[in-house]
Amino acid sequence: MTDVEFSEALEAVLRDLRAQCAVQPRIRVDDSYGIMLHAPDGTGQGFTSPLGGTAAEQLANLADQVQEWAVEALWSKGAPAVWPHCPDHPDTHPLTATVVADTAVWVCPKSGATVARIGELEQR
């Protein structure tokens, strides 16, 4: 994954984070760790550029990494640790990042229904 592809993939996931997450990150570039998301409590997480796989698989992998950050940030704030929200099962489980028909999407892990393409979650 090139730097441009990584930046575009990260921006798609951050659109989803802005649309539905109660905790918003401070984004910083660290010389040692690369791009990092920092929670309001000061904790940070760096991201690895997914190696191998299709562009859709790499995007789903990156979305999974950001989801880990969001769940931890929500938990540390005392909020329900669910992101992104499943519209069919509110506050019970997060959606899962996966690939369906060569497209990176968020799916309900209970029903398997596709909710949205990664980067296209609706504002909540």
Side-chain angles (χ1 to χ4, degrees):
M1 182 176 254
T2 68
D3 287 345
V4 170
E5 291 168 331
F6 180 78
S7 293
E8 289 172 354
L10 183 58
E11 182 52 38
V13 180
L14 292 177
R15 273 194 305 273
D16 288 345
L17 198 61
R18 286 188 295 270
Q20 291 196 1
C21 191
V23 177
Q24 294 299 303
R26 287 185 325 276
I27 303 167
R28 295 189 181 148
V29 177
D30 182 277
D31 291 337
S32 299
Y33 299 104
I35 295 176
M36 294 190 67
L37 299 186
H38 288 271
D41 68 1
T43 59
Q45 179 177 328
F47 297 93
T48 58
S49 180
L51 301 173
T54 65
E57 290 167 337
Q58 292 173 349
L59 177 55
N61 178 286
L62 185 58
D64 190 50
Q65 292 179 62
V66 172
Q67 183 179 41
E68 287 178 33
W69 175 88
V71 167
E72 288 293 323
L74 288 163
W75 181 84
S76 72
K77 187 179 177 181
V82 176
W83 180 83
H85 301 277
C86 179
D88 295 331
H89 311 102
D91 294 327
T92 60
H93 61 246
L95 297 174
T96 300
T98 192
V99 176
V100 175
D102 295 322
T103 302
V105 295
W106 294 110
V107 299
C108 169
K110 225 175 197 180
S111 69
T114 298
V115 173
R117 292 171 56 118
I118 292 175
E120 297 179 3
L121 282 176
E122 292 184 13
Q123 189 80 27
R124 181 169 186 247

